[in-house]
Structure formats: C-alpha cells, structure tokens
Amino acid sequence: MMSNNYKKYGELFQVDSEHFEEFYALLHDTKLLKSDFCLKQGEKCKYLGFIKKGTIRSFYINDQGREINFGFYFENEFFTDYESILCDTVSNMNIQALENCEILLLSKEHLQNLYKKEAYWQQFGRVMSEKIYLDAKKRIDDLLCFSPENRYLNLVKKQPALFQKIAQKHIASYLGVTEQSLSRIRSRIVN
C-alpha cells in the first residue's frame, strides 16, 4: 500500500515506490522563521533542502557589499549550494527564508551513503545533478542573452506568483537592475 508521504512527494522527489521509504526516513523535518538562514556565506553546505511550505532565496554579496539574488524557491522545490556540497568548499552563497518555512533536509552524508548502496541511487544523483546544472545554466543564459526588460517579461511568464510573494528590491536584484529601473520597466510594459 502506498504511504501518504509517497503520494504527496514520490513524484516530486523522483523516487520510485520501492525506494521511497528508505529515502524519506533520511529526511530531517525542520522549520525556519522569516529571515533565518539555512546557509551563510563562508559555511560549507551540508544539506539538500526541499520546501514543504514557504519561500526561500539564495543570494550573494558582491564586492561593493550589495546583495545579488540568484534564485527564489517555493513550495515543492529543492534548494542547495550544489558547488559547496560537490567540492566540499565553503559557500559564497547565502540561503535565507523570506517567510516562515517548513523544509525537509537531506544531509550530504546520507546522500553519499545512498550513492554507495546501489546503482539506483547513483542514477538518482545524476538526474538531480543534471537538473541543478540546467537550472543554473538557464539563469546564466537569462542574464547574458536577454535585456532587463525581456528578463522581466520572462519572469512574469514563468513565475507570476513571484511578484505577489517577493519584495521588489529582491526582484530587481535578481533581474540585475536597480529598483528604479524595475519601476521604469514595469511602467513601460503597462503603458
């Protein structure tokens, strides 16, 4: 019989029913309050996170001390600093709750142990790595290939809920523009 957790998360985690309970048992259920950090720049990332409820952002602090948003993560999405996990290095990234969150964490140690167990988990890791790579590549392509106005339009199309949940200063930073520029872009599009 299928567990409620499998019905809810099996497809999202891309874990089949045969392996799900083994995987789910390794997840640590935790809560973050608004503004809490899951990872701070200078720390090693030790977890792959999954959001059950809430919104999280990842950001860098540039050499002028400004926050540069890299990504926003919502309910039923994964987040991590994969480079820090993969290379066992300190992170340049911060991961912070934008509202109260309920998250599931899979430790790097547990993930590595799964990889050693059987080929299924190695395949799981490869698929997860490919998704993280493609998401990062899309983000870089967006910044390099599109004007700020087109980045804004793409964001509206792909993640309309973002504009209800995320402060304008964070959206502007994510798009690589100032808040004033974002305001001008929005007024040009509306008119």
Side-chain angles (χ1 to χ4, degrees):
M1 181 166 184
M2 233 183 273
S3 74
N4 285 338
N5 286 330
Y6 179 74
K7 288 177 189 171
K8 190 170 186 178
Y9 299 117
E11 190 175 316
L12 290 168
F13 293 165
Q14 297 180 13
V15 176
D16 65 22
S17 58
E18 181 184 338
H19 294 88
F20 181 80
E21 292 306 325
E22 175 184 19
F23 180 77
Y24 198 80
L26 298 175
L27 300 176
H28 176 68
D29 209 338
T30 192
K31 294 179 192 243
L32 294 173
L33 297 176
K34 181 179 180 176
S35 300
D36 281 354
F37 285 84
C38 190
L39 176 69
K40 286 186 177 179
Q41 184 177 341
E43 299 174 345
K44 285 186 179 181
C45 186
K46 298 177 184 172
Y47 297 98
L48 172 66
F50 178 80
I51 303 172
K52 290 170 61 176
K53 181 180 177 191
T55 306
I56 287 179
R57 74 177 175 132
S58 60
F59 68 96
Y60 298 91
I61 298 176
N62 71 10
D63 57 0
Q64 288 101 34
R66 285 188 32 238
E67 293 179 2
I68 307 297
N69 287 290
F70 183 77
F72 300 106
Y73 309 92
F74 302 98
E75 188 174 318
N76 296 328
E77 291 185 337
F78 287 97
F79 65 92
T80 193
D81 180 349
Y82 196 61
E83 179 183 9
S84 177
I85 285 180
L86 195 62
C87 300
D88 197 35
T89 56
V90 296
S91 180
N92 293 323
M93 181 184 288
N94 297 281
I95 300 176
Q96 181 183 39
L98 289 175
E99 61 186 338
N100 293 345
C101 295
E102 294 176 22
I103 61 175
L104 296 170
L105 296 174
L106 176 65
S107 74
K108 174 183 176 177
E109 181 182 342
H110 285 139
L111 185 60
Q112 295 296 325
N113 288 337
L114 285 175
Y115 290 164
K116 293 174 190 171
K117 278 187 135 181
E118 62 178 293
Y120 176 86
W121 293 115
Q122 292 168 13
Q123 165 88 7
F124 169 81
R126 194 189 89 236
V127 169
M128 185 176 53
S129 298
E130 289 169 353
K131 182 182 179 345
I132 291 166
Y133 167 77
L134 290 172
D135 288 346
K137 183 172 182 330
K138 285 178 193 169
R139 175 75 172 117
I140 292 166
D141 288 349
D142 196 43
L143 287 169
L144 294 176
C145 300
F146 296 105
S147 68
E149 192 165 309
N150 283 332
R151 288 196 298 269
Y152 173 81
L153 291 169
N154 289 340
L155 194 58
V156 168
K157 188 172 139 184
K158 290 176 191 169
Q159 293 185 301
L162 183 118
F163 294 91
Q164 298 347 260
K165 295 187 135 224
I166 308 292
Q168 293 300 304
K169 69 179 182 178
H170 293 314
I171 293 171
S173 166
Y174 178 79
L175 294 171
V177 299
T178 64
E179 286 183 72
Q180 295 79 10
S181 294
L182 176 59
S183 185
R184 285 192 295 273
I185 289 168
R186 292 178 80 180
S187 66
R188 274 196 310 269
I189 291 169
V190 170
N191 293 328

